[in-house]
Amino acid sequence: MKKDEGMEYDLAVIGGGSGGYAAARTAASLGLKTVVIEGGEEIGGLCILRGCMPTKALLQSAEVAHIAQKAHVWGIDIPQVQINFPNVMARKNFLIDDFAGFCREQLTRGDRFQFIQAKAKFLDPHTLLLSNGSQLSARHFLVSTGSRVSPSPIGSLMDVGYITSDEVLKLSKLPSSVVVLGGGVVAVELGPVLPPSGSPDIGCAAKFPSPQGAGCGRIPNIIRCIYC
């Protein structure tokens, strides 16, 4: 990547999550004038705020609960394991706030690259219009905006109501039973979180020849898989 004296920046990174930050840090270390543009209300990115990190925090709690429930296998008797779900979520929130705070500090310190919190859209191949009314130009762009939950393709779900993977991470109490629609990594990863934490029944409906990721058959207490 070559520097271009006619542009404000050598590289503009759209999206300040884990990928965008890593790219900007690397580019800046190579001497490129770099800017990161983050359009979200929260700084931290998908992985930290709604993805890998909160789900891993919940999975760890679920694993500890599972081990405690099966402690007799190791010769340890725990008469009754109680899961305090609000405390599980509070721990998850604490960890995410800590990670997101570190990310904010790294992005906004200003000694390696510039950080702008605004939405961006392309005016031409080398110019961005920002939601704060300003424009900037760059020779190269990296788009790392993450993703968001798409609407359900099953129209009837709107009538009965459903929660998305984002909303699972905000639950204040566990549902008595759950059907997970989808067999991808997000669905299969969230599946094990619920049964060890107190939901007695969980089903998995997958529109694939077989569920992906860890595998539907490995989800604890699962009642059945439906291959649509």
Side-chain angles (χ1 to χ4, degrees):
M1 187 181 293
K2 297 180 179 179
K3 296 172 74 69
D4 191 327
E5 299 300 332
M7 300 289 174
E8 291 179 72
Y9 298 97
D10 301 308
L11 175 66
V13 180
I14 304 174
S18 300
Y21 165 67
R25 181 184 60 190
T26 301
S29 71
L30 296 173
L32 299 176
K33 188 176 182 182
T34 305
V35 60
V36 176
I37 304 144
E38 170 58 51
E41 295 182 4
E42 296 180 275
I43 299 174
L46 173 64
C47 181
I48 292 177
L49 298 174
R50 304 186 310 280
C52 314
M53 292 189 179
T55 56
K56 297 302 186 294
L58 294 178
L59 279 170
Q60 186 179 29
S61 292
E63 181 182 17
V64 171
H66 177 72
I67 291 173
Q69 291 165 348
K70 303 294 183 181
H72 63 274
V73 173
W74 291 272
I76 301 170
D77 292 327
I78 302 178
Q80 187 173 9
V81 178
Q82 298 289 336
I83 293 93
N84 187 318
F85 188 68
N87 284 353
V88 169
M89 297 300 281
R91 173 184 176 272
K92 181 266 297 180
N93 292 336
F94 173 81
L95 292 172
I96 298 318
D97 288 344
D98 186 46
F99 278 114
F102 176 77
C103 182
R104 284 192 296 271
E105 190 274 330
Q106 294 297 308
L107 283 169
T108 59
R109 57 191 291 179
D111 59 344
R112 290 175 288 184
F113 49 79
Q114 186 176 355
F115 176 78
I116 301 173
Q117 193 165 5
K119 296 184 182 298
K121 67 177 180 179
F122 282 95
L123 292 179
D124 62 49
H126 292 285
T127 309
L128 291 177
L129 174 64
L130 305 184
S131 58
N132 60 15
S134 63
Q135 296 182 22
L136 64 82
S137 60
R139 179 176 175 83
H140 299 281
F141 294 88
L142 174 65
V143 179
S144 57
T145 52
S147 62
R148 59 185 175 185
V149 175
S150 60
S152 170
I154 306 174
S156 57
L157 281 180
M158 298 298 295
D159 299 327
V160 299
Y162 67 97
I163 60 175
T164 67
S165 56
D166 283 359
E167 292 164 328
V168 168
L169 300 176
K170 299 177 182 178
L171 287 175
S172 58
K173 63 179 182 178
L174 284 167
S176 59
S177 61
V178 180
V179 172
V180 180
L181 297 178
V185 293
V186 174
V188 176
E189 185 174 59
L190 285 175
V193 168
L194 300 175
S197 301
S199 286
D201 298 322
I202 178 167
C204 173
K207 193 178 180 181
F208 301 99
S210 63
Q212 309 297 304
C216 210
R218 294 175 59 188
I219 297 178
N221 300 336
I222 195 163
I223 54 173
R224 61 177 175 170
C225 289
I226 306 170
Y227 303 145
C228 304

